[in-house]
Amino acid sequence: MSGLRERKKVRTRQHIAECAMRLFVARGFDHVTIAEVAAAAEVSVNTVYNYFQVKEDLVLPPDQASPQRLAVMVRDRPPGTAAARAVLDRLREEVRGRDRKLGLTEGFGRVFEMMRAAPTLAARLEDLGGQMTEALALALAEETGAAPGDPLPRVVAWQLGSLHALVFTEIGRRTTAGESPDVIAEAVLELLDVIEDTLGERVLSYAVRKDRPCSE
């Protein structure tokens, strides 16, 4: 019974988000109220707030737009892989898979324009980028055993955070220009190759994950 209840919650959450997105794209984020979202989804205002604490969560849900995104990429890497390689490999994988998180889907252009026109969403995206970088810096410092005050984990994290932001900027720029997801994906894969070529060896070889002992 609990599994059925959870699936119903997931469907309700997705339905509310889809109704909200249609309204936001058609009229602009700032011109749509939570009450109007609730009416379109045929639920109560309280139900909307039960699933989305603030209006911005309807566009950038915390479970998808997570500050831990880069840190998770690094923590999940296999033995023998450096932190930068883990981020580059994951981004290439997402681009090749036309991952929705990157906006590589048909119709994303209008969504991107809506987000860019809303000051609170633009500010949230900027803040999210900083949080991702800080979380990655902490993960790198912990894993490498860096001494307190050692700037290297933060330097590497900011370089990786910047390349991550550049990928999203490039996707947004090309989306606005009307390019198709396939064309954008090819261009971003080329961009990632250039980024890798220009990263210094210090970054590319930093924080290589060691093999875990057999006893673990």
Side-chain angles (χ1 to χ4, degrees):
M1 188 62 125
S2 61
L4 179 62
R5 189 179 300 115
E6 286 304 313
R7 289 195 295 273
K8 184 178 179 181
K9 286 182 178 180
V10 170
R11 287 196 299 270
T12 300
R13 178 186 174 91
Q14 183 177 352
H15 175 64
I16 293 171
E18 289 173 350
C19 290
M21 190 65 75
R22 283 195 291 269
L23 289 174
F24 294 154
V25 169
R27 294 166 47 195
F29 181 79
D30 293 331
H31 300 293
V32 177
T33 66
I34 291 295
E36 290 171 323
V37 171
E42 299 183 321
V43 298
S44 69
V45 169
N46 284 341
T47 297
V48 175
Y49 279 119
N50 284 340
Y51 288 95
F52 304 93
Q53 291 186 8
V54 295
K55 185 179 172 183
E56 287 75 17
D57 287 350
L58 286 158
V59 180
L60 297 167
D63 61 324
Q64 296 179 30
S66 170
Q68 295 294 321
R69 172 171 159 79
L70 292 174
V72 168
M73 288 182 185
V74 168
R75 290 193 181 105
D76 288 349
R77 73 196 189 283
T81 304
R85 170 64 57 195
V87 173
L88 288 166
D89 286 352
R90 179 67 65 83
L91 287 172
R92 287 187 174 108
E93 179 183 332
E94 291 179 351
V95 171
R96 292 187 180 109
R98 308 296 188 267
D99 197 301
R100 293 182 63 86
K101 288 192 292 292
L102 299 181
L104 291 173
T105 55
E106 294 293 345
F108 179 71
R110 296 185 67 195
V111 174
F112 179 74
E113 288 295 322
M114 175 273 293
M115 293 172 64
R116 193 168 64 168
T120 56
L121 289 176
R124 182 158 174 169
L125 282 171
E126 183 175 353
D127 185 55
L128 179 62
Q131 290 179 45
M132 284 185 188
T133 300
E134 289 299 329
L136 177 57
L138 285 173
L140 291 174
E142 291 171 2
E143 184 172 315
T144 60
D150 184 349
L152 187 56
R154 295 190 75 247
V155 170
V156 173
W158 277 96
Q159 290 199 49
L160 298 182
S162 294
L163 78 83
H164 180 262
L166 179 58
V167 166
F168 277 87
T169 299
E170 185 72 3
I171 291 171
R173 183 179 71 81
R174 290 179 176 275
T175 297
T176 301
E179 294 183 11
S180 71
D182 288 344
V183 170
I184 296 173
E186 288 303 315
V188 173
L189 288 173
E190 183 178 346
L191 174 66
L192 287 168
D193 288 342
V194 173
I195 289 172
E196 183 173 353
D197 288 343
T198 55
L199 284 176
E201 184 60 29
R202 185 83 183 272
V203 174
L204 290 173
S205 61
Y206 180 72
V208 174
R209 164 150 293 175
K210 298 185 174 75
D211 291 331
R212 294 184 176 86
C214 295
S215 59
E216 288 189 6

